[in-house]
Amino acid sequence: MPAGHLKCLFNNSCVRSLTPQPAYADVEPLLLSRHRSAIAAYMHRMRAPAGALSGKMLSYHMGWSDEAGRPLQVKTGKLIRPALCLWAAAACGSEPDAALPAAAAVEWFHNFTLVHDDIQDGDRRRHGRETVWSIWGVAQGINTGDAMHALAFLSLASSGADPARALAAIRAVGEAGLQVIEGQCLDMALEGRTEAALRDYLRMVNAKTGALLGGALEAGALLGGAEPQRARLFRLAGRLLGTAFQIQDDALGIFGDPSVTGKSASGDADRQKMTYPVIAGMSAASPAQRRRLRDIFRIPSEETGTNLRTVLEEIGCDRITRATAQRYAQKAVAAAARAGIPRTAIDEFEEVAYYVATRNR
């Protein structure tokens, strides 16, 4: 990646002054692809039987088959959580494979939440394909998510690590999972609340997105041999990176190119989601702009997404949001560095942090 990008990302004055940021990152870091085949193979081996209906629906969601059950290969996710779980184990001096059960577990849990989120949000498409519930119905979508939840903990239980470390990893993922669900509850409760404050948003996103990334890094570090106090620094780094990820995701939901992101540019607005650009816009807007924003949410129309983007760009929320995502990525790298890991490991994490905070999809 161009050196100037990292200099801008991790220079406080650059972030604070909201200097125009570089273009979206579109090159995936090597760390995210290095173990992709190993993670996929492990998850394939332990998935529900293909002959079972739950296995068929699960396989479809994961991009391993079409809706008829015929084998298929569709990239449906970035595998950031499992990749960083393995990275954490390696950063602590272990072989990455030591954390493979935890890596698979966090990816199963993440996908469990996605299947249920699609139902709750009424989303009929994900990654350019129909969602599970839109094909098999809401009830079967719930069943599919439940199967993934069960697989997450079966995977953790299959770890061959020292029992005390395995139990600590199970606890880390379980606690993170409970916070993710609370985050989803908070997200839904914030819908339409144009008076919501930044602290409300950060509380929600810290749980909804930050917790599982934090749990992934913590579990990987524990299985890699880290003591609990050191593993908590990995958890903090993951939480901060998760916040950066969600803020950038919010930006893409409004300012991104739907042909690249694969998501509607008006989906969040139609559901009256209080995303970061909206929260920041309400705070930075003039009284007249604030009234326009409230009217957009109060009187939905076919132009809701377009109108929202117009006002937020007028306020400068595209720049504000990008700068904030980058600031949280910077904090994540600083937390990881405090864990006393090799410089090469910090460099890898820094590259992922840059990608997370500036990606275009």
Side-chain angles (χ1 to χ4, degrees):
M1 85 182 62
H5 285 194
L6 281 178
K7 182 177 180 182
C8 184
L9 173 55
F10 298 119
N11 180 303
N12 283 333
S13 62
C14 172
V15 172
R16 290 196 189 106
S17 64
L18 298 180
T19 299
Q21 302 299 322
Y24 289 126
D26 57 3
V27 178
E28 185 179 73
L30 177 61
L31 171 60
L32 299 186
S33 59
R34 182 181 300 144
H35 302 293
R36 180 171 284 133
S37 59
I39 295 166
Y42 185 90
M43 295 179 73
H44 262 279
R45 288 196 299 272
M46 66 171 303
R47 73 184 191 274
L53 179 55
S54 61
K56 178 181 178 180
M57 295 185 294
L58 179 153
S59 181
Y60 170 82
H61 170 83
M62 297 299 295
W64 300 336
S65 67
D66 63 16
E67 60 187 272
R70 294 182 290 262
L72 190 67
Q73 271 205 322
V74 177
K75 185 179 176 183
T76 58
K78 301 175 183 65
L79 299 185
I80 289 176
R81 294 159 189 82
L84 286 175
C85 181
L86 300 184
W87 167 83
C92 291
S94 176
E95 289 297 320
D97 285 357
L100 201 51
V106 295
E107 187 62 15
W108 283 126
F109 195 97
H110 172 58
N111 279 277
F112 141 67
T113 66
L114 295 182
V115 172
H116 284 194
D117 282 359
D118 287 340
I119 294 169
Q120 291 169 355
D121 292 343
D123 287 336
R124 290 188 165 273
R125 298 191 72 77
R126 179 177 288 278
H127 299 298
R129 308 169 79 213
E130 286 189 80
T131 52
V132 170
W133 79 267
S134 69
I135 296 174
W136 286 282
V138 169
Q140 295 291 32
I142 293 171
N143 289 335
T144 303
D146 290 349
M148 293 178 178
H149 184 275
L151 284 170
F153 288 94
L154 281 174
S155 180
L156 279 168
S158 70
S159 171
D162 170 80
R165 293 195 179 280
L167 183 60
I170 291 171
R171 183 179 296 112
V173 175
E175 289 176 349
L178 190 59
Q179 291 172 45
V180 170
I181 294 167
E182 172 64 7
Q184 178 66 3
C185 292
L186 293 172
D187 188 25
M188 296 177 72
L190 281 176
E191 290 178 3
R193 284 183 52 196
T194 54
E195 78 286 358
L198 178 59
R199 65 178 177 275
D200 299 318
Y201 172 86
L202 290 175
R203 179 186 172 206
M204 177 272 292
V205 76
N206 185 53
K208 180 180 177 180
T209 309
L212 193 57
L213 247 173
L217 268 70
E218 183 181 13
L222 288 166
L223 294 177
E227 294 305 312
Q229 186 173 356
R230 189 183 183 200
R232 283 194 287 272
L233 286 171
F234 282 88
R235 179 177 65 194
L236 175 60
R239 279 183 174 276
L240 291 165
L241 188 63
T243 299
F245 182 99
Q246 187 59 57
I247 290 173
Q248 179 64 4
D249 211 51
D250 289 353
L252 294 175
I254 294 175
F255 308 115
D257 180 350
S259 68
V260 175
T261 64
K263 61 173 68 175
S264 167
S266 63
D268 286 345
D270 291 341
R271 291 191 295 274
Q272 297 192 326
K273 290 282 189 182
M274 290 299 105
T275 60
Y276 185 86
V278 175
I279 297 282
M282 286 291 183
S283 177
S286 67
Q289 290 168 330
R290 196 171 294 116
R291 284 194 297 271
R292 287 165 64 193
L293 286 173
R294 285 178 177 148
D295 285 345
I296 287 170
F297 283 99
R298 187 171 56 85
I299 312 170
S301 71
E302 292 183 359
E303 301 301 316
T304 292
T306 301
N307 294 339
L308 180 63
R309 176 172 181 157
T310 298
V311 178
L312 292 178
E313 286 181 339
E314 181 183 303
I315 297 169
C317 288
D318 47 344
R319 293 181 297 108
I320 293 171
T321 303
R322 285 200 301 270
T324 305
Q326 292 181 19
R327 187 163 61 249
Y328 274 96
Q330 177 187 14
K331 291 179 179 180
V333 174
R338 292 204 302 273
I341 58 180
R343 181 69 239 183
T344 52
I346 296 173
D347 289 344
E348 285 190 319
F349 188 75
E350 185 176 70
E351 186 178 10
V352 172
Y354 170 81
Y355 172 75
V356 161
T358 62
R359 63 201 164 84
N360 65 354
R361 66 184 71 206

PDB file of all heavy atoms in Angstrom, residues 248-276:
ATOM      1  N   GLN A 248     -17.125   2.566   9.262  1.00  0.00           N
ATOM      2  CA  GLN A 248     -16.903   2.558   7.813  1.00  0.00           C
ATOM      3  C   GLN A 248     -18.050   1.853   7.089  1.00  0.00           C
ATOM      4  O   GLN A 248     -18.460   2.266   6.002  1.00  0.00           O
ATOM      5  CB  GLN A 248     -15.568   1.878   7.490  1.00  0.00           C
ATOM      6  CG  GLN A 248     -15.228   1.789   6.006  1.00  0.00           C
ATOM      7  CD  GLN A 248     -15.026   3.151   5.354  1.00  0.00           C
ATOM      8  OE1 GLN A 248     -15.063   4.179   6.028  1.00  0.00           O
ATOM      9  NE2 GLN A 248     -14.811   3.163   4.057  1.00  0.00           N
ATOM     10  N   ASP A 249     -18.589   0.814   7.695  1.00  0.00           N
ATOM     11  CA  ASP A 249     -19.733   0.126   7.106  1.00  0.00           C
ATOM     12  C   ASP A 249     -20.923   1.077   6.996  1.00  0.00           C
ATOM     13  O   ASP A 249     -21.645   1.093   5.991  1.00  0.00           O
ATOM     14  CB  ASP A 249     -20.108  -1.086   7.962  1.00  0.00           C
ATOM     15  CG  ASP A 249     -20.690  -2.221   7.143  1.00  0.00           C
ATOM     16  OD1 ASP A 249     -20.067  -2.605   6.145  1.00  0.00           O
ATOM     17  OD2 ASP A 249     -21.773  -2.717   7.498  1.00  0.00           O
ATOM     18  N   ASP A 250     -21.119   1.883   8.030  1.00  0.00           N
ATOM     19  CA  ASP A 250     -22.185   2.882   8.010  1.00  0.00           C
ATOM     20  C   ASP A 250     -21.968   3.888   6.884  1.00  0.00           C
ATOM     21  O   ASP A 250     -22.922   4.314   6.219  1.00  0.00           O
ATOM     22  CB  ASP A 250     -22.240   3.628   9.349  1.00  0.00           C
ATOM     23  CG  ASP A 250     -22.769   2.780  10.491  1.00  0.00           C
ATOM     24  OD1 ASP A 250     -23.228   1.655  10.241  1.00  0.00           O
ATOM     25  OD2 ASP A 250     -22.707   3.249  11.639  1.00  0.00           O
ATOM     26  N   ALA A 251     -20.707   4.284   6.686  1.00  0.00           N
ATOM     27  CA  ALA A 251     -20.390   5.225   5.608  1.00  0.00           C
ATOM     28  C   ALA A 251     -20.729   4.621   4.251  1.00  0.00           C
ATOM     29  O   ALA A 251     -21.331   5.279   3.392  1.00  0.00           O
ATOM     30  CB  ALA A 251     -18.914   5.611   5.660  1.00  0.00           C
ATOM     31  N   LEU A 252     -20.374   3.351   4.061  1.00  0.00           N
ATOM     32  CA  LEU A 252     -20.641   2.695   2.780  1.00  0.00           C
ATOM     33  C   LEU A 252     -22.138   2.545   2.544  1.00  0.00           C
ATOM     34  O   LEU A 252     -22.597   2.565   1.397  1.00  0.00           O
ATOM     35  CB  LEU A 252     -19.955   1.325   2.737  1.00  0.00           C
ATOM     36  CG  LEU A 252     -18.423   1.361   2.737  1.00  0.00           C
ATOM     37  CD1 LEU A 252     -17.851  -0.052   2.808  1.00  0.00           C
ATOM     38  CD2 LEU A 252     -17.894   2.081   1.502  1.00  0.00           C
ATOM     39  N   GLY A 253     -22.913   2.395   3.620  1.00  0.00           N
ATOM     40  CA  GLY A 253     -24.354   2.260   3.484  1.00  0.00           C
ATOM     41  C   GLY A 253     -25.030   3.518   2.974  1.00  0.00           C
ATOM     42  O   GLY A 253     -26.164   3.465   2.482  1.00  0.00           O
ATOM     43  N   ILE A 254     -24.349   4.653   3.076  1.00  0.00           N
ATOM     44  CA  ILE A 254     -24.908   5.927   2.604  1.00  0.00           C
ATOM     45  C   ILE A 254     -24.128   6.494   1.427  1.00  0.00           C
ATOM     46  O   ILE A 254     -24.703   6.909   0.427  1.00  0.00           O
ATOM     47  CB  ILE A 254     -24.947   6.955   3.749  1.00  0.00           C
ATOM     48  CG1 ILE A 254     -25.938   6.502   4.832  1.00  0.00           C
ATOM     49  CG2 ILE A 254     -25.352   8.341   3.223  1.00  0.00           C
ATOM     50  CD1 ILE A 254     -25.970   7.390   6.058  1.00  0.00           C
ATOM     51  N   PHE A 255     -22.794   6.496   1.540  1.00  0.00           N
ATOM     52  CA  PHE A 255     -21.959   7.143   0.527  1.00  0.00           C
ATOM     53  C   PHE A 255     -21.315   6.164  -0.456  1.00  0.00           C
ATOM     54  O   PHE A 255     -20.695   6.589  -1.430  1.00  0.00           O
ATOM     55  CB  PHE A 255     -20.846   7.953   1.206  1.00  0.00           C
ATOM     56  CG  PHE A 255     -21.333   8.897   2.262  1.00  0.00           C
ATOM     57  CD1 PHE A 255     -20.991   8.725   3.600  1.00  0.00           C
ATOM     58  CD2 PHE A 255     -22.155   9.963   1.925  1.00  0.00           C
ATOM     59  CE1 PHE A 255     -21.446   9.593   4.578  1.00  0.00           C
ATOM     60  CE2 PHE A 255     -22.625  10.844   2.904  1.00  0.00           C
ATOM     61  CZ  PHE A 255     -22.270  10.654   4.226  1.00  0.00           C
ATOM     62  N   GLY A 256     -21.444   4.851  -0.199  1.00  0.00           N
ATOM     63  CA  GLY A 256     -20.804   3.860  -1.060  1.00  0.00           C
ATOM     64  C   GLY A 256     -21.533   3.659  -2.381  1.00  0.00           C
ATOM     65  O   GLY A 256     -22.673   4.089  -2.561  1.00  0.00           O
ATOM     66  N   ASP A 257     -20.858   2.981  -3.288  1.00  0.00           N
ATOM     67  CA  ASP A 257     -21.425   2.644  -4.599  1.00  0.00           C
ATOM     68  C   ASP A 257     -22.134   1.297  -4.480  1.00  0.00           C
ATOM     69  O   ASP A 257     -21.478   0.273  -4.257  1.00  0.00           O
ATOM     70  CB  ASP A 257     -20.292   2.569  -5.633  1.00  0.00           C
ATOM     71  CG  ASP A 257     -20.790   2.234  -7.031  1.00  0.00           C
ATOM     72  OD1 ASP A 257     -21.976   1.873  -7.183  1.00  0.00           O
ATOM     73  OD2 ASP A 257     -19.974   2.305  -7.973  1.00  0.00           O
ATOM     74  N   PRO A 258     -23.454   1.251  -4.613  1.00  0.00           N
ATOM     75  CA  PRO A 258     -24.185  -0.013  -4.454  1.00  0.00           C
ATOM     76  C   PRO A 258     -23.687  -1.127  -5.377  1.00  0.00           C
ATOM     77  O   PRO A 258     -23.758  -2.301  -5.017  1.00  0.00           O
ATOM     78  CB  PRO A 258     -25.634   0.375  -4.783  1.00  0.00           C
ATOM     79  CG  PRO A 258     -25.712   1.828  -4.466  1.00  0.00           C
ATOM     80  CD  PRO A 258     -24.370   2.392  -4.858  1.00  0.00           C
ATOM     81  N   SER A 259     -23.177  -0.775  -6.552  1.00  0.00           N
ATOM     82  CA  SER A 259     -22.682  -1.800  -7.472  1.00  0.00           C
ATOM     83  C   SER A 259     -21.407  -2.449  -6.947  1.00  0.00           C
ATOM     84  O   SER A 259     -21.034  -3.538  -7.366  1.00  0.00           O
ATOM     85  CB  SER A 259     -22.420  -1.192  -8.853  1.00  0.00           C
ATOM     86  OG  SER A 259     -21.336  -0.282  -8.821  1.00  0.00           O
ATOM     87  N   VAL A 260     -20.732  -1.775  -6.018  1.00  0.00           N
ATOM     88  CA  VAL A 260     -19.512  -2.309  -5.410  1.00  0.00           C
ATOM     89  C   VAL A 260     -19.808  -2.928  -4.048  1.00  0.00           C
ATOM     90  O   VAL A 260     -19.348  -4.014  -3.727  1.00  0.00           O
ATOM     91  CB  VAL A 260     -18.447  -1.195  -5.259  1.00  0.00           C
ATOM     92  CG1 VAL A 260     -17.214  -1.725  -4.517  1.00  0.00           C
ATOM     93  CG2 VAL A 260     -18.047  -0.651  -6.614  1.00  0.00           C
ATOM     94  N   THR A 261     -20.603  -2.229  -3.240  1.00  0.00           N
ATOM     95  CA  THR A 261     -20.880  -2.698  -1.884  1.00  0.00           C
ATOM     96  C   THR A 261     -21.854  -3.874  -1.857  1.00  0.00           C
ATOM     97  O   THR A 261     -21.858  -4.664  -0.923  1.00  0.00           O
ATOM     98  CB  THR A 261     -21.465  -1.576  -1.013  1.00  0.00           C
ATOM     99  OG1 THR A 261     -22.739  -1.179  -1.547  1.00  0.00           O
ATOM    100  CG2 THR A 261     -20.538  -0.374  -0.976  1.00  0.00           C
ATOM    101  N   GLY A 262     -22.710  -3.960  -2.876  1.00  0.00           N
ATOM    102  CA  GLY A 262     -23.711  -5.015  -2.902  1.00  0.00           C
ATOM    103  C   GLY A 262     -24.893  -4.748  -1.998  1.00  0.00           C
ATOM    104  O   GLY A 262     -25.727  -5.630  -1.776  1.00  0.00           O
ATOM    105  N   LYS A 263     -24.976  -3.530  -1.452  1.00  0.00           N
ATOM    106  CA  LYS A 263     -26.101  -3.192  -0.577  1.00  0.00           C
ATOM    107  C   LYS A 263     -26.785  -1.926  -1.088  1.00  0.00           C
ATOM    108  O   LYS A 263     -26.163  -1.090  -1.757  1.00  0.00           O
ATOM    109  CB  LYS A 263     -25.628  -2.985   0.861  1.00  0.00           C
ATOM    110  CG  LYS A 263     -24.635  -1.868   1.047  1.00  0.00           C
ATOM    111  CD  LYS A 263     -24.335  -1.614   2.504  1.00  0.00           C
ATOM    112  CE  LYS A 263     -23.580  -2.732   3.137  1.00  0.00           C
ATOM    113  NZ  LYS A 263     -23.192  -2.433   4.534  1.00  0.00           N
ATOM    114  N   SER A 264     -28.053  -1.804  -0.764  1.00  0.00           N
ATOM    115  CA  SER A 264     -28.818  -0.641  -1.191  1.00  0.00           C
ATOM    116  C   SER A 264     -28.288   0.625  -0.529  1.00  0.00           C
ATOM    117  O   SER A 264     -27.924   0.619   0.649  1.00  0.00           O
ATOM    118  CB  SER A 264     -30.293  -0.831  -0.827  1.00  0.00           C
ATOM    119  OG  SER A 264     -31.005   0.374  -0.953  1.00  0.00           O
ATOM    120  N   ALA A 265     -28.274   1.720  -1.294  1.00  0.00           N
ATOM    121  CA  ALA A 265     -27.819   3.004  -0.745  1.00  0.00           C
ATOM    122  C   ALA A 265     -28.884   3.638   0.132  1.00  0.00           C
ATOM    123  O   ALA A 265     -28.623   4.650   0.788  1.00  0.00           O
ATOM    124  CB  ALA A 265     -27.455   3.952  -1.884  1.00  0.00           C
ATOM    125  N   SER A 266     -30.084   3.061   0.157  1.00  0.00           N
ATOM    126  CA  SER A 266     -31.161   3.638   0.971  1.00  0.00           C
ATOM    127  C   SER A 266     -31.661   2.682   2.046  1.00  0.00           C
ATOM    128  O   SER A 266     -32.573   3.024   2.797  1.00  0.00           O
ATOM    129  CB  SER A 266     -32.341   4.038   0.072  1.00  0.00           C
ATOM    130  OG  SER A 266     -32.899   2.907  -0.561  1.00  0.00           O
ATOM    131  N   GLY A 267     -31.059   1.496   2.136  1.00  0.00           N
ATOM    132  CA  GLY A 267     -31.555   0.494   3.080  1.00  0.00           C
ATOM    133  C   GLY A 267     -31.554   0.967   4.522  1.00  0.00           C
ATOM    134  O   GLY A 267     -32.558   0.841   5.231  1.00  0.00           O
ATOM    135  N   ASP A 268     -30.418   1.523   4.985  1.00  0.00           N
ATOM    136  CA  ASP A 268     -30.340   1.995   6.369  1.00  0.00           C
ATOM    137  C   ASP A 268     -31.308   3.148   6.610  1.00  0.00           C
ATOM    138  O   ASP A 268     -31.951   3.231   7.655  1.00  0.00           O
ATOM    139  CB  ASP A 268     -28.912   2.446   6.690  1.00  0.00           C
ATOM    140  CG  ASP A 268     -27.951   1.273   6.855  1.00  0.00           C
ATOM    141  OD1 ASP A 268     -28.434   0.131   7.012  1.00  0.00           O
ATOM    142  OD2 ASP A 268     -26.728   1.497   6.820  1.00  0.00           O
ATOM    143  N   ALA A 269     -31.403   4.044   5.621  1.00  0.00           N
ATOM    144  CA  ALA A 269     -32.306   5.192   5.767  1.00  0.00           C
ATOM    145  C   ALA A 269     -33.760   4.738   5.797  1.00  0.00           C
ATOM    146  O   ALA A 269     -34.561   5.245   6.595  1.00  0.00           O
ATOM    147  CB  ALA A 269     -32.086   6.181   4.627  1.00  0.00           C
ATOM    148  N   ASP A 270     -34.117   3.780   4.948  1.00  0.00           N
ATOM    149  CA  ASP A 270     -35.499   3.290   4.917  1.00  0.00           C
ATOM    150  C   ASP A 270     -35.913   2.681   6.252  1.00  0.00           C
ATOM    151  O   ASP A 270     -37.075   2.744   6.644  1.00  0.00           O
ATOM    152  CB  ASP A 270     -35.665   2.252   3.801  1.00  0.00           C
ATOM    153  CG  ASP A 270     -35.571   2.867   2.410  1.00  0.00           C
ATOM    154  OD1 ASP A 270     -35.745   4.096   2.305  1.00  0.00           O
ATOM    155  OD2 ASP A 270     -35.313   2.120   1.437  1.00  0.00           O
ATOM    156  N   ARG A 271     -34.926   2.083   6.953  1.00  0.00           N
ATOM    157  CA  ARG A 271     -35.226   1.473   8.253  1.00  0.00           C
ATOM    158  C   ARG A 271     -34.997   2.455   9.400  1.00  0.00           C
ATOM    159  O   ARG A 271     -35.074   2.063  10.565  1.00  0.00           O
ATOM    160  CB  ARG A 271     -34.362   0.219   8.455  1.00  0.00           C
ATOM    161  CG  ARG A 271     -34.735  -0.932   7.542  1.00  0.00           C
ATOM    162  CD  ARG A 271     -34.044  -2.207   7.957  1.00  0.00           C
ATOM    163  NE  ARG A 271     -32.592  -2.116   7.807  1.00  0.00           N
ATOM    164  CZ  ARG A 271     -31.927  -2.374   6.683  1.00  0.00           C
ATOM    165  NH1 ARG A 271     -32.593  -2.741   5.603  1.00  0.00           N
ATOM    166  NH2 ARG A 271     -30.617  -2.279   6.645  1.00  0.00           N
ATOM    167  N   GLN A 272     -34.700   3.703   9.044  1.00  0.00           N
ATOM    168  CA  GLN A 272     -34.461   4.762  10.029  1.00  0.00           C
ATOM    169  C   GLN A 272     -33.344   4.400  11.002  1.00  0.00           C
ATOM    170  O   GLN A 272     -33.411   4.674  12.202  1.00  0.00           O
ATOM    171  CB  GLN A 272     -35.744   5.082  10.790  1.00  0.00           C
ATOM    172  CG  GLN A 272     -36.871   5.621   9.906  1.00  0.00           C
ATOM    173  CD  GLN A 272     -38.018   6.197  10.700  1.00  0.00           C
ATOM    174  OE1 GLN A 272     -38.343   5.720  11.780  1.00  0.00           O
ATOM    175  NE2 GLN A 272     -38.637   7.232  10.167  1.00  0.00           N
ATOM    176  N   LYS A 273     -32.279   3.790  10.468  1.00  0.00           N
ATOM    177  CA  LYS A 273     -31.139   3.409  11.282  1.00  0.00           C
ATOM    178  C   LYS A 273     -30.356   4.648  11.701  1.00  0.00           C
ATOM    179  O   LYS A 273     -30.072   5.523  10.886  1.00  0.00           O
ATOM    180  CB  LYS A 273     -30.203   2.483  10.490  1.00  0.00           C
ATOM    181  CG  LYS A 273     -30.757   1.091  10.225  1.00  0.00           C
ATOM    182  CD  LYS A 273     -30.655   0.210  11.450  1.00  0.00           C
ATOM    183  CE  LYS A 273     -31.010  -1.226  11.131  1.00  0.00           C
ATOM    184  NZ  LYS A 273     -30.958  -2.095  12.320  1.00  0.00           N
ATOM    185  N   MET A 274     -30.012   4.712  12.976  1.00  0.00           N
ATOM    186  CA  MET A 274     -29.191   5.819  13.460  1.00  0.00           C
ATOM    187  C   MET A 274     -27.722   5.425  13.301  1.00  0.00           C
ATOM    188  O   MET A 274     -27.044   5.024  14.252  1.00  0.00           O
ATOM    189  CB  MET A 274     -29.516   6.127  14.918  1.00  0.00           C
ATOM    190  CG  MET A 274     -30.887   6.744  15.123  1.00  0.00           C
ATOM    191  SD  MET A 274     -31.088   8.352  14.274  1.00  0.00           S
ATOM    192  CE  MET A 274     -32.137   7.877  12.891  1.00  0.00           C
ATOM    193  N   THR A 275     -27.228   5.500  12.064  1.00  0.00           N
ATOM    194  CA  THR A 275     -25.846   5.153  11.769  1.00  0.00           C
ATOM    195  C   THR A 275     -24.925   6.315  12.127  1.00  0.00           C
ATOM    196  O   THR A 275     -25.382   7.421  12.422  1.00  0.00           O
ATOM    197  CB  THR A 275     -25.692   4.797  10.287  1.00  0.00           C
ATOM    198  OG1 THR A 275     -26.077   5.939   9.504  1.00  0.00           O
ATOM    199  CG2 THR A 275     -26.575   3.613   9.917  1.00  0.00           C
ATOM    200  N   TYR A 276     -23.619   6.073  12.061  1.00  0.00           N
ATOM    201  CA  TYR A 276     -22.687   7.130  12.477  1.00  0.00           C
ATOM    202  C   TYR A 276     -22.839   8.406  11.651  1.00  0.00           C
ATOM    203  O   TYR A 276     -22.856   9.502  12.237  1.00  0.00           O
ATOM    204  CB  TYR A 276     -21.236   6.636  12.433  1.00  0.00           C
ATOM    205  CG  TYR A 276     -20.301   7.694  12.987  1.00  0.00           C
ATOM    206  CD1 TYR A 276     -20.070   7.770  14.347  1.00  0.00           C
ATOM    207  CD2 TYR A 276     -19.707   8.637  12.156  1.00  0.00           C
ATOM    208  CE1 TYR A 276     -19.268   8.776  14.880  1.00  0.00           C
ATOM    209  CE2 TYR A 276     -18.910   9.643  12.680  1.00  0.00           C
ATOM    210  CZ  TYR A 276     -18.690   9.701  14.035  1.00  0.00           C
ATOM    211  OH  TYR A 276     -17.908  10.705  14.555  1.00  0.00           O
TER     212      TYR A 276
END
